[in-house]
Amino acid sequence: MGKYGRDINLKPTVNDIARVAGLSLATVDRVINDRPGVRNVTIERVHKAIKELGYVRDTAAANLARGRIYNFHFLLPESNNEFVSMLEQQITELSEVLTLERTKLSFERVPAFDPQAMARIISKMDPQDVDGIAIFGPENSSVREAIAQIKKRGVAVVALVSDLPDSERDHFIGIDNIAAGRTAGQLMGHFLAQGRKKLLVITGSMLARDHLERRLGFDQVMSEKFTDIDVLPSLEGRDNPDLLERLLPAAFATTPDIAGIYSSAAGNAGLINFLRLNDLDQKVMVVGHELTPLSRDALVQGTFDAIISQDTGHLVRSTVRVLRAKSDSLPINISQERIRIDVYLKENMPPLGS
Amino acid sequence: MGKYGRDINLKPTVNDIARVAGLSLATVDRVINDRPGVRNVTIERVHKAIKELGYVRDTAAANLARGRIYNFHFLLPESNNEFVSMLEQQITELSEVLTLERTKLSFERVPAFDPQAMARIISKMDPQDVDGIAIFGPENSSVREAIAQIKKRGVAVVALVSDLPDSERDHFIGIDNIAAGRTAGQLMGHFLAQGRKKLLVITGSMLARDHLERRLGFDQVMSEKFTDIDVLPSLEGRDNPDLLERLLPAAFATTPDIAGIYSSAAGNAGLINFLRLNDLDQKVMVVGHELTPLSRDALVQGTFDAIISQDTGHLVRSTVRVLRAKSDSLPINISQERIRIDVYLKENMPPLGS
DNA sequence: TTGTAAGCGTTATCAC
DNA sequence: GTGATAACGCTTACAA
């Protein structure tokens, strides 16, 4: 016996189960895969043998035999948005690697902040074509209904980035956005030196749950710990850089002494342009969301001071693992699937191609 | 054809190669696995077919046929250290999941800060028993030599947490410690309000590369951007809580007005005890390393203000993926294997069991 | 309702 | 040097 245990007691196989239960492979397989046409007594016998031997099915072998191919489809918001583009890129990249693992990934853009459109698209999908979908978008009753329907037809569903908590989605893959908002608040509070300061919050859409939650968390911390900071009414930029760039001058005209900005949604391009054009980029403390090429640059230049982020690679890989597990009714490793709230300063930014 | 591409053109298999090359499966297999006893002309023919068809071997099927079991062994420092315990726990947990994937994990403790002992232990290992090892410890010529030897005998080697850059290790799995130190510096600088402040740095051992690098990065940022902060000579705690608790009173006796502490190594228990016993825990700004049960609590209580961390689950999973890839001479996905420098405030701390 | 046997893509043991 | 052929653990026609 090797010191590091090279020779372990082999795990039992379907053959062992068949032998112990005194049945054929086919019957064992029927039971294992809940296929019809087996007497209850027989089912029991198989289950007993499985328990006794501690059998766990070898998924790799099973998939090999089936020639199974997983088809997963992402529904992403149709907005001019670096974060979403990064998701797309990760999907495309991962897709190549995954062909080896019999997994196909695809995506499509869905009108942003438009639950009706989302519901329509979900409803039109053919369960023959997809084993699982990942939905990044707002929730309403139509969306809930569409999800319930497609789930009933055997398609696994996860909510991506923004949760759909009242739907029947199998899982949510994304960060705790309240905590993310709280983190932004804590950083902002610490970064702004003592004294009465004014703070602007930029949000995306009041329809987007993730935006709402961030705002909520941020306000919690502000009112709990940093009562000397004035939080101004928020600016709703709809993740649209141009709109944002048009809205900002008015905000600064009304309140010229804004000391900090929490940019809680997308559309950073507009904000960065505005700050640089008006020579405010080194004066205002800015905390933003999502590490993208633009925000990276802003961090390096000192236009941004911190970025709260979530790893798009992790989001996509996690989606695939979870959808696969759900399609096979297998358990998931929660700790591996938990998406971290990343905090980036200029110093700990990971290198670009990552 | 399904809308989401259910039917893709199947990937070529060894059978296709054999057919195209006009050879048998056995010969193709010999070539693919560099086994001897094939004429050069034949080898060429096979390679040509592989190129033409774009063949990529199905690892799952290969492992199934081989009945291969991967054996990976971790060498961890023998010190009273929560971080190392967390690594052990992750190894143990992952090990269970991985038996399904024909992978056995084991670990042993090696005297800390003792490269000779490490070299001895590596040299004594039997390549029959292990396919790969992960080394967490300091480097010296004996260690380098031991690594070179064991690699020559076909064992994959990765450096874990602390790099062994001049050795022949296949890969380093851990964070960029210079950047981690810089991050700590940046946070500390921002958190300490303006004015001449005194700052204490606690290090582990000057032998440990990771500790040295963090100190280096921290000092870089301090001298570049926060010149009004006085960085005191560092305290070498050797990752030993008791030693640290004995050293701290003297440091505070000499310099009572210490405003910040950067605890760059392990042994936080001693620091926390000292601060609480002396009523300093809410007064001194503390940045520490590694999210552990103790440091989590310190963060919640406000004894610590920020923690720089690396995810132990990610470290262990990444080690396994990389060792597997290296044993099979397969490529790795660099971006998935890059370990993030996590920054935790009280607000974005992940829930405990993660 | 149950069993037999072929096959998934790869490796390994024989022969020739 | 090369080629049949069985085997890995599981699924699935097709028979019985």
Side-chain angles (χ1 to χ4, degrees):
Chain A
M1 161 130 168
K3 194 172 167 196
Y4 306 111
R6 164 154 307 278
D7 43 3
I8 50 164
N9 27 6
L10 292 324
K11 277 160 296 306
T13 74
V14 268
N15 287 287
D16 300 319
I17 307 292
R19 194 172 26 74
V20 169
L23 290 163
S24 75
L25 278 188
T27 305
V28 172
D29 183 73
R30 285 183 189 106
V31 175
I32 288 175
N33 294 293
D34 309 300
R35 271 186 274 270
V38 187
R39 280 185 309 170
N40 279 330
V41 238
T42 317
I43 297 186
E44 274 322 307
R45 262 206 288 166
V46 173
H47 279 146
K48 186 153 158 287
I50 290 183
K51 279 261 160 59
E52 264 180 44
L53 303 187
Y55 167 80
V56 193
R57 150 223 262 115
D58 181 331
T59 330
N63 285 341
L64 174 58
R66 275 190 241 227
R68 160 158 206 175
I69 291 174
Y70 297 91
N71 269 266
F72 299 139
H73 191 60
F74 289 73
L75 299 174
L76 306 176
E78 195 167 58
S79 56
N80 172 16
N81 184 318
E82 286 183 303
F83 177 66
V84 180
S85 305
M86 287 173 73
L87 281 174
E88 286 186 351
Q89 202 193 325
Q90 293 288 352
I91 294 168
T92 310
E93 275 175 30
L94 192 59
S95 189
E96 285 183 29
V97 180
L98 287 184
T99 48
L100 289 172
E101 296 172 38
R102 304 154 189 288
T103 304
K104 294 261 302 170
L105 264 35
S106 55
F107 63 80
E108 83 186 274
R109 296 279 205 145
V110 176
F113 309 125
D114 183 351
Q116 302 301 336
M118 177 69 83
R120 227 167 17 245
I121 289 174
I122 297 173
S123 308
K124 277 209 214 99
M125 278 195 312
D126 184 349
Q128 293 287 301
D129 291 337
V130 230
D131 303 293
I133 57 176
I135 302 173
F136 177 0
E139 180 174 11
N140 76 355
S141 59
S142 317
V143 171
R144 281 194 286 273
E145 178 55 24
I147 291 177
Q149 287 308 319
I150 201 164
K151 279 223 51 175
K152 208 166 282 161
R153 305 206 277 156
V155 175
V157 177
V158 299
L160 185 65
V161 179
S162 182
D163 197 5
L164 307 167
D166 298 320
S167 74
E168 292 175 24
R169 91 279 188 282
D170 292 290
H171 197 73
F172 165 54
I173 292 164
I175 58 175
D176 174 341
N177 281 297
I178 296 185
R182 292 187 62 97
T183 307
Q186 180 86 354
L187 274 174
M188 186 60 94
H190 267 139
F191 282 5
L192 289 180
Q194 238 68 9
R196 280 211 83 72
K197 303 272 177 149
K198 293 189 180 139
L199 207 151
L200 180 67
V201 177
I202 298 172
T203 183
S205 160
M206 290 308 172
L207 272 177
R209 177 169 210 103
D210 49 342
H211 299 172
L212 268 182
E213 290 179 342
R214 288 176 191 172
R215 172 79 221 221
L216 182 66
F218 188 82
D219 286 347
Q220 283 173 5
V221 171
M222 283 298 136
S223 61
E224 285 165 23
K225 308 192 197 169
F226 303 102
T227 43
D228 52 344
I229 295 181
D230 257 356
V231 182
L232 307 173
S234 35
L235 227 56
E236 193 169 336
R238 303 208 58 124
D239 288 2
N240 181 338
D242 300 329
L243 174 59
L244 202 54
E245 203 171 344
R246 287 200 303 276
L247 290 174
L248 280 163
F252 271 81
T254 320
T255 322
D257 56 338
I258 290 175
I261 296 180
Y262 171 37
S263 171
S264 75
N268 284 331
L271 172 60
I272 294 170
N273 277 343
F274 171 81
L275 291 173
R276 291 191 179 155
L277 283 173
N278 294 277
D279 239 350
L280 289 163
D281 58 328
Q282 303 299 321
K283 294 172 193 148
V284 179
M285 188 68 69
V286 183
V287 174
H289 268 268
E290 312 315 346
L291 198 66
T292 65
L294 259 170
S295 71
R296 296 177 74 91
D297 179 64
L299 207 50
V300 170
Q301 307 290 323
T303 309
F304 278 15
D305 299 277
I307 289 172
I308 315 287
S309 193
Q310 47 192 327
D311 189 299
T312 51
H314 193 181
L315 285 169
V316 175
R317 284 190 298 270
S318 185
T319 300
V320 171
R321 280 192 300 258
V322 171
L323 285 178
R324 248 195 224 147
K326 294 300 175 187
S327 316
D328 296 344
S329 340
L330 252 39
I332 58 179
N333 172 353
I334 295 191
S335 88
Q336 181 170 191
E337 308 314 347
R338 182 165 285 125
I339 312 294
R340 264 175 302 266
I341 300 171
D342 297 325
V343 173
Y344 292 116
L345 307 181
K346 185 176 170 180
E347 308 300 346
N348 69 327
M349 220 170 48
L352 229 173
S354 115
Chain B
M1 160 131 167
K3 194 173 168 196
Y4 306 111
R6 165 155 307 279
D7 44 5
I8 51 165
N9 29 4
L10 292 325
K11 277 161 297 305
T13 74
V14 268
N15 288 287
D16 301 317
I17 307 291
R19 194 172 26 73
V20 170
L23 290 163
S24 76
L25 277 188
T27 305
V28 171
D29 183 69
R30 286 183 188 105
V31 175
I32 287 176
N33 294 292
D34 309 300
R35 271 188 276 269
V38 187
R39 280 183 309 171
N40 280 329
V41 238
T42 317
I43 296 185
E44 275 322 307
R45 260 205 290 166
V46 173
H47 279 147
K48 186 153 157 286
I50 289 182
K51 279 259 161 60
E52 266 179 42
L53 302 187
Y55 167 79
V56 192
R57 152 222 261 119
D58 180 331
T59 329
N63 285 339
L64 173 58
R66 274 192 244 227
R68 160 157 207 174
I69 292 173
Y70 296 91
N71 268 266
F72 299 139
H73 192 61
F74 289 73
L75 299 173
L76 306 176
E78 195 167 57
S79 56
N80 173 16
N81 185 317
E82 286 183 303
F83 177 65
V84 180
S85 306
M86 287 173 73
L87 282 174
E88 286 186 349
Q89 202 194 324
Q90 293 288 353
I91 293 168
T92 309
E93 275 176 29
L94 192 59
S95 189
E96 285 182 30
V97 181
L98 287 185
T99 48
L100 289 173
E101 296 173 39
R102 304 156 191 288
T103 304
K104 293 262 301 172
L105 263 35
S106 54
F107 63 81
E108 82 187 275
R109 296 280 204 143
V110 175
F113 308 126
D114 183 349
Q116 303 300 337
M118 177 69 82
R120 229 170 13 247
I121 289 174
I122 297 173
S123 307
K124 278 209 214 101
M125 276 192 316
D126 185 349
Q128 294 287 302
D129 291 336
V130 230
D131 303 293
I133 56 175
I135 302 174
F136 177 178
E139 180 174 13
N140 77 353
S141 59
S142 317
V143 171
R144 281 193 286 274
E145 179 56 23
I147 291 177
Q149 288 307 321
I150 201 164
K151 278 224 52 179
K152 208 166 284 161
R153 306 206 277 156
V155 175
V157 177
V158 299
L160 185 66
V161 178
S162 182
D163 198 5
L164 307 166
D166 298 321
S167 74
E168 293 175 25
R169 91 278 187 283
D170 292 290
H171 198 73
F172 165 55
I173 292 163
I175 57 175
D176 175 341
N177 281 296
I178 296 185
R182 293 186 62 97
T183 307
Q186 180 86 355
L187 274 174
M188 186 61 93
H190 266 140
F191 281 7
L192 289 180
Q194 238 68 9
R196 281 212 82 71
K197 303 274 177 149
K198 292 187 181 141
L199 206 151
L200 179 67
V201 177
I202 299 171
T203 182
S205 160
M206 290 308 171
L207 272 176
R209 177 171 210 102
D210 48 342
H211 298 172
L212 268 182
E213 289 179 343
R214 288 176 191 171
R215 171 79 221 222
L216 181 66
F218 188 82
D219 287 347
Q220 282 174 5
V221 171
M222 283 298 134
S223 61
E224 285 166 23
K225 309 192 196 169
F226 303 103
T227 44
D228 53 343
I229 295 181
D230 257 355
V231 182
L232 307 173
S234 35
L235 227 55
E236 193 169 336
R238 303 208 58 123
D239 288 0
N240 181 338
D242 301 329
L243 174 58
L244 201 53
E245 202 169 346
R246 286 200 303 277
L247 291 173
L248 279 162
F252 271 80
T254 321
T255 322
D257 57 337
I258 290 175
I261 297 180
Y262 172 35
S263 171
S264 75
N268 283 332
L271 171 60
I272 294 170
N273 277 342
F274 170 81
L275 291 173
R276 291 190 180 156
L277 283 173
N278 294 275
D279 239 350
L280 290 162
D281 58 328
Q282 303 300 320
K283 294 173 193 147
V284 179
M285 189 68 68
V286 183
V287 175
H289 268 268
E290 312 313 349
L291 198 65
T292 66
L294 260 169
S295 70
R296 296 177 74 90
D297 178 65
L299 207 50
V300 171
Q301 306 290 324
T303 309
F304 279 15
D305 300 276
I307 288 172
I308 315 286
S309 192
Q310 46 192 327
D311 188 300
T312 51
H314 193 182
L315 284 169
V316 174
R317 285 190 298 269
S318 185
T319 301
V320 171
R321 280 192 300 260
V322 170
L323 284 178
R324 248 195 223 147
K326 293 300 175 187
S327 318
D328 296 344
S329 341
L330 251 42
I332 58 179
N333 171 353
I334 294 191
S335 88
Q336 180 169 193
E337 307 314 347
R338 181 165 287 126
I339 312 294
R340 267 174 299 266
I341 299 172
D342 296 325
V343 173
Y344 292 116
L345 307 181
K346 185 176 167 179
E347 308 301 348
N348 68 328
M349 219 170 49
L352 229 174
S354 113

